């Protein structure tokens, strides 16, 4: 049986990243922004420590957010996990080295998460989940779009802005980290 050992640096990274996600999510909820701001920490951990740590950070963020803000966050844990996994895989493939590639990474992450988020929104919540994106879903549905298309357009639209912004912020923050911090994360070589 294979054992995986997580370093103390990685554990600290996960804790800080979860805190960043929860603070971003709470800020977005308070202001009722049509974006989420709940993935910056997940992307940071995926870039620094790899896709599996990104996946774990996304899961833990949504489970803890569920304690703070209610069970809706828990229902979207698979979405957060996919964000961490895809960001880590994109970083491994060298997509976090230049700004245009970071923007493309945000687009790819959005495409992947849409496949998971749309069914959750439709089948568990009837299309709405209490986020700022609900206005767009209601509007599209009111003007004659079907529920599936309304939810899909809103998920893509809000997440495209959110994930590109989150990817850029995470990338810029990592580029500002001191070298003594980065040496604890060998995965970073594929980002800089």
């Amino acid at each position: 049986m294979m054992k995986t050992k997580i370093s103390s640096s990685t554990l600290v990274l996960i804790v800080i990243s979860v805190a960043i996600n929860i603070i971003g999510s709470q800020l977005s909820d308070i202001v009722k922004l049509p974006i989420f701001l709940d993935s910056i920490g997940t992307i940071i951990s995926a870039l620094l420590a790899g896709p599996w740590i990104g996946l774990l950070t996304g899961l833990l963020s949504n489970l803890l957010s569920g304690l703070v803000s209610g069970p809706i966050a828990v229902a979207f844990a698979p979405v957060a996990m996919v964000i961490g996994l895809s960001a880590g895989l994109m970083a491994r493939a060298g997509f976090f080295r230049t700004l245009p590639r970071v923007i493309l990474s945000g687009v790819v992450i959005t495409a992947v998460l849409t496949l998971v988020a749309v069914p959750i929104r439709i089948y568990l919540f009837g299309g709405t989940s209490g986020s700022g994106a609900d206005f767009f879903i209601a509007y599209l549905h009111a003007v004659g779009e079907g529920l599936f298309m309304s939810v899909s357009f809103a998920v893509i639209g809000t997440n495209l802005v959110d994930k590109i912004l989150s990817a850029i912020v995470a990338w810029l923050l990592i580029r500002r980290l001191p070298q003594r911090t980065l040496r604890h994360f060998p995965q970073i070589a594929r980002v800089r």
Side-chain angles (χ1 to χ4, degrees):
M1 187 160 122
M2 188 176 94
K3 286 188 176 183
T4 303
K5 185 177 178 183
I6 297 178
S7 71
S8 58
S9 299
T10 302
L11 288 174
V12 170
L13 171 66
I14 291 169
V15 170
I16 291 170
S17 296
V18 167
I20 290 169
N21 287 343
I22 291 173
I23 291 167
S25 175
Q26 290 298 306
L27 177 65
S28 177
D29 285 347
I30 290 168
V31 182
K32 286 294 183 199
L33 295 174
I35 58 174
F36 307 105
L37 302 178
D38 62 352
S39 307
I40 296 169
T42 300
I43 295 172
I44 289 171
S45 66
L47 298 180
L48 287 174
W52 298 111
I53 298 301
L55 182 144
L56 179 61
T57 301
L59 172 64
L60 292 174
S61 295
N62 278 52
L63 292 178
L64 290 174
S65 256
L67 295 173
V68 174
S69 62
I72 291 174
V74 175
F76 285 97
V79 176
M81 294 165 67
V82 163
I83 292 167
L85 183 65
S86 58
L89 292 173
M90 296 293 288
R92 278 191 178 169
F95 279 87
F96 278 86
R97 290 189 179 173
T98 64
L99 182 58
R101 285 181 168 215
V102 172
I103 292 169
L104 179 60
S105 296
V107 173
V108 171
I109 292 167
T110 299
V112 173
L113 77 84
T114 299
L115 298 172
V116 179
V118 169
I120 291 171
R121 270 187 174 267
I122 290 173
Y123 297 114
L124 292 182
F125 303 107
T128 61
S129 63
S131 73
D134 290 350
F135 168 77
F136 298 112
I137 295 169
Y139 174 77
L140 290 170
H141 197 57
V143 297
E145 276 305 325
L147 182 61
F148 179 80
M149 292 308 291
S150 298
V151 171
S152 296
F153 287 143
V155 166
I156 290 169
T158 56
N159 278 288
L160 192 59
V161 172
D162 181 62
K163 296 317 174 252
I164 290 173
L165 179 65
S166 296
I168 291 170
V169 168
W171 180 66
L172 289 173
L173 288 173
I174 287 173
R175 292 174 60 86
R176 301 267 187 231
L177 287 176
Q179 201 61 35
R180 68 180 182 276
T181 301
L182 295 177
R183 73 171 176 246
H184 296 287
F185 303 102
Q187 182 75 19
I188 196 66
R190 295 188 176 116
V191 174
R192 289 189 126 193

